[in-house]
Amino acid sequence: MAVELAAMTLVQAAKSGDDLAFDVLLEPLLEPAYRLACAMLHDHHAAEDAVQEAALKAWRKLGQLRDGSEMRPWFLGIVANECRTTRRSRWSSVLKSLTPDRPVDEPADTVLSGIELRRALLAMDSKKRLTLVLHWYLDLPLAEVAAITGSSLHAAESRLQRGIHELRQRMEGNRG
Amino acid sequence: VDSDPKLRSEFRRALDVVSPPAPWLRTNVKDALRQERRTRSWRMWRRLPVIVLRLPRLSQKVAAVALIVVLAAATVEVFLVTHRQANQSVPAGPAPPQAMSSGTQGLRAGTYVFRPLFDASGKPFPNVLITVPAGWSSYEGFAVQSFTGTPRELAVSVWNVGDVYANGCHWLGPTIHPGATVDELAAVLAARPLRNATAPVAASFGGYQGKYLEWSVPTDIRFQQASAEHGFSDCDGGMFKSWSDAEGDRYQQGPGQVDQLWILDVEGHRLLIDATYMPGSTVQDRAELAQLVNSIAFKR
């Protein structure tokens, strides 16, 4: 409770022009934002650009953050939007990066199943993919996933279930 | 939802591979922000003096006097208008319809506007107005409901249906895209298994033509409650679903639930009105539901 109050105070301070308060709020969000962007784009260079651009947009649009709202879902929503824009303009690099660009010390089977999983994820519609990444990769609770994706709790849950189902079918198809 | 730890762990591993550490990210973001702030503050400082310095000295005086005159006139006008309004009696009339907000909101008796829906071309449908008695609440701006979460639950909602679940219980299976017309959607809904749908009949509603049908959820099916209490469900994910739209799904609230569906052609685009009641609702409850449905009006 005290932590939430402190965060709200920081949000108010940041909204009234306190840059230090904004930096304090933003810093712990950069790591999840970067992981989100990597998971959505599968290209860490593009992910870095997306997070940087999202940080600038967040600073410019801070006045739009509603009083009483939390910074994390709002900022991750901006990152997700940025990824959508980036992905639209970077199809070739996204497709190329399905194969990781660094050496991986894992058995060939694991590497292949990783490639297949990433391919299945990229083939999903963007909201389903975002929901799956937020809940399964960033470990965010469904209520926060719903806030980030701008949908109801039930819609988020349903999207998650369909996403998992799609992944499972695709992976079983490949094994079987 | 998280019943597949193996797949989840494979999923995480697959994404870890494309998320290498980026320790420089924090510094890069800070530098970008510093640069942005510097540019913004330089722009702001630059703007003011340019406006003032461009004017010759005499013009500056004239401008200052003009500004004072305008401000004084505005102050007097505001005072007079406020005074006049305070002394006038406002004629009584019907209260204008109020917009429903997102989330769940208790409603006072009155007329409300559902959240706008958009057709396939992005054009908004006419506003859909509904008049509710006291005791109803709105849900996410697209539904009004009463006795929520009880065996007497009632609701009216408005939809721009996208895809229909081929089997409401096994909704993780295929979906059907019902084309764009009223007749196509009516035919797809009427043919769904488990729903005991009535044959679609021609209907007119709020000045628009369409089709009407009723369907229900089987009374002997176990989904939500069974899932919560006994850890199993007859249906995928403990839910029974009807259709999806751009923002979510029409999932059903319980066994025996009846939906009355009006599928309308509204200016060339399809809109569905769903009035639903649970089997525990009374005759009076259903009469109230019918009253709400009859109050629906469309307005541009």
Side-chain angles (χ1 to χ4, degrees), chain B residues 3 13 18 27 33 40 44 76 119 124-125 138 157 159 165 170 183 190 212 219 224 235 253 255 273 294:
Chain B
S3 59
R13 213 173 321 126
V18 287
T27 318
L33 278 169
R40 167 83 60 102
M44 282 177 73
V76 170
D119 65 29
F125 281 100
S138 70
S157 52
W159 298 85
Y165 291 105
H170 300 296
D183 287 348
Y212 171 81
T219 49
Q224 278 174 319
C235 300
Q253 279 63 45
I273 292 178
N294 286 333

Side-chain angles (χ1 to χ4, degrees), chain A residues 27 34 60 118 137 158 162, chain B residues 14 16 20 26 171 241 249:
Chain A
E27 193 163 322
Y34 171 67
R60 286 181 210 132
R118 288 192 292 275
Y137 192 52
S158 160
R162 292 189 77 82
Chain B
D16 278 344
R26 200 163 47 162
W171 52 271
K241 297 193 179 193
D249 289 334

